[in-house]
Amino acid sequence: DADRPLAPASNLKLLTTAAALQILGPDHRFRTYLLTDGEVVDGVLHGDLVLYGTGDPGISDRFYRRKDSVFHLLVDQLEAAGIHAVTGDLVGDASFFAGPLRPPGWDPRDLNDHFSAAVSALSFNENVVSFRVVASTPGQAPEVHTIPDHSGLEVVNNARTIAGGSGARVHILRDDPLDPVRVEGQIVRGSRDVWREMTVSVPAHFAVSVFRATLEKRGISVEGGLRVVRDPERSLLGGISAPALGRRGARVLARHVSEPLSVYLAVVNKESNNLFAELIFRTLGRTTEGVGSTEASARAVEREMHGLGVHMGGAVLLDGSGLSGGSRVSASTFVSVLRRMASTPRWGAYWASLPEAGRRGELGRMYSTAAARNLRAKTGTIEGVSALSGMVRTADGERVAFSLLV
């Protein structure tokens, strides 16, 4: 059934990354801005300060020394401009991408887990936070810390510290990703801390909350409150492309430029990172149609595949990562995209992004077989699905593209 469309799981990332290389190129970089329409007088910004994202998934300690290193780089530029105070609000602007924070078809049971982080044009720390519960005085609520600090998340702490006893247990819970986080149960004084990593509810609010703390650490005061913008019509830029910054009097006070796309594609394919995949996917729709929605992005991938000569019969792309169980792609489509990409100038970058068999941290299986260092392939696993698609060389040197969807 080579032509039968099946749920591809993370093998769908092969289409997303191929289209990204063709549309954006390996040297594409994401930009994050500090904008204002106010005036600076004697070091005081009279107006709002806007943290504007265009989909960079790498603002974290994955590529930098600290989680907030990028924020400090932005503040460096404010200091260089002599700004030490802001009279208006601090605004997190995520309007560059349209569509829901969580794509359709994602299993609701997964939405608290790190691999299903919400998709936002303004993202920080891969849109996850760690909770740490520390026992305190018996009879009192334990301490609840977040990493990073100043996350701006609502936490309801119903837990209690007890002096001793067996069976004490603390639970860190959330029924819906937009609900407050609840801490329930009991923790024994002197016992180990309790940890849980969880996705954040609204990434832009998370990012701008931590950014405000960074400003305060550096001695830049903000008199106003925090606001989040997702509607393009409420954005300082009015929904236009970030480079066209003259509209509505918006000025750039600082900017950050990401690592190149080729570096991010290795994270997508070798680590199967869903957030990186989804933000790159949304960028394709925004680049080709001016709308960073899942629908526009799916059309962008399909157009690019058709342009390469890849048959997409029966394909359904509900996201860019394959986490949605409703997406459908056939094995023959995956073989075709590998074959077609191998004849393009982008093949070197595409091949380099694929996990290599026998290499720790990539495709560790088959380490003692003839496949080791000879096979590169993308894995895919969701409930009821196991997939592997890639390329291998036979003993006589023939390249064989394959796709196994189970």
Side-chain angles (χ1 to χ4, degrees), residues 69-94:
S69 288
V70 169
F71 291 162
H72 280 280
L73 292 172
L74 291 170
V75 175
D76 287 346
Q77 296 171 63
L78 291 183
E79 288 186 340
I83 296 172
H84 60 79
V86 178
T87 64
D89 293 340
L90 186 59
V91 181
D93 193 327

Side-chain angles (χ1 to χ4, degrees), residues 260-309:
L261 180 69
S262 57
V263 173
Y264 283 8
L265 295 188
V267 177
V268 173
N269 285 333
K270 292 184 178 183
E271 300 184 28
S272 207
N273 188 293
N274 293 322
L275 179 65
F276 275 67
E278 294 298 339
L279 289 173
I280 292 168
F281 181 65
R282 296 279 184 99
T283 301
L284 301 181
R286 177 75 198 212
T287 300
T288 58
E289 297 190 14
V291 180
S293 66
T294 53
E295 296 81 5
S297 300
R299 289 191 294 268
V301 173
E302 291 178 5
R303 279 194 303 270
E304 197 58 41
M305 294 302 100
H306 285 307
L308 281 173

Side-chain angles (χ1 to χ4, degrees), residues 161-362:
T161 303
I162 60 176
S166 60
R169 192 171 183 183
V170 165
H171 303 274
I172 303 170
L173 307 168
R174 186 175 60 191
D175 298 326
D176 182 272
L178 295 178
D179 289 344
V181 173
R182 305 190 326 273
V183 182
E184 308 279 358
Q186 298 177 326
I187 185 170
V188 176
R189 182 180 183 181
S191 64
R192 292 181 179 178
D193 300 345
V194 176
W195 292 79
R196 182 175 179 183
E197 188 177 60
M198 191 175 286
T199 58
V200 301
S201 301
V202 181
H205 186 269
F206 174 55
V208 80
S209 296
V210 177
F211 184 60
R212 180 169 191 151
T214 306
L215 289 169
E216 292 173 351
K217 288 177 188 175
R218 299 284 293 274
I220 298 178
S221 63
V222 179
E223 294 180 15
L226 295 183
R227 287 192 290 116
V228 169
V229 172
R230 291 190 59 211
D231 181 355
E233 291 306 313
R234 297 180 59 195
S235 169
L236 188 61
L237 298 183
I240 61 175
S241 177
L245 293 169
R247 184 173 170 179
R248 300 190 180 184
R251 294 186 298 116
V252 177
L253 298 175
R255 74 186 73 206
H256 170 72
V257 180
S258 76
E259 294 291 313
L261 180 69
S262 57
V263 173
Y264 283 8
L265 295 188
V267 177
V268 173
N269 285 333
K270 292 184 178 183
E271 300 184 28
S272 207
N273 188 293
N274 293 322
L275 179 65
F276 275 67
E278 294 298 339
L279 289 173
I280 292 168
F281 181 65
R282 296 279 184 99
T283 301
L284 301 181
R286 177 75 198 212
T287 300
T288 58
E289 297 190 14
V291 180
S293 66
T294 53
E295 296 81 5
S297 300
R299 289 191 294 268
V301 173
E302 291 178 5
R303 279 194 303 270
E304 197 58 41
M305 294 302 100
H306 285 307
L308 281 173
V310 176
H311 178 61
M312 295 285 288
V316 177
L317 309 184
L318 297 183
D319 61 14
S321 64
L323 194 56
S324 174
S327 292
R328 294 290 182 268
V329 182
S330 70
S332 64
T333 292
F334 286 122
V335 169
S336 181
V337 74
L338 289 161
R339 178 172 173 241
R340 297 293 183 176
M341 284 296 291
S343 64
T344 72
R346 306 298 191 200
W347 175 246
Y350 192 58
W351 179 251
S353 77
L354 299 179
E356 186 175 46
R359 185 178 294 275
R360 181 177 296 178
E362 296 187 15

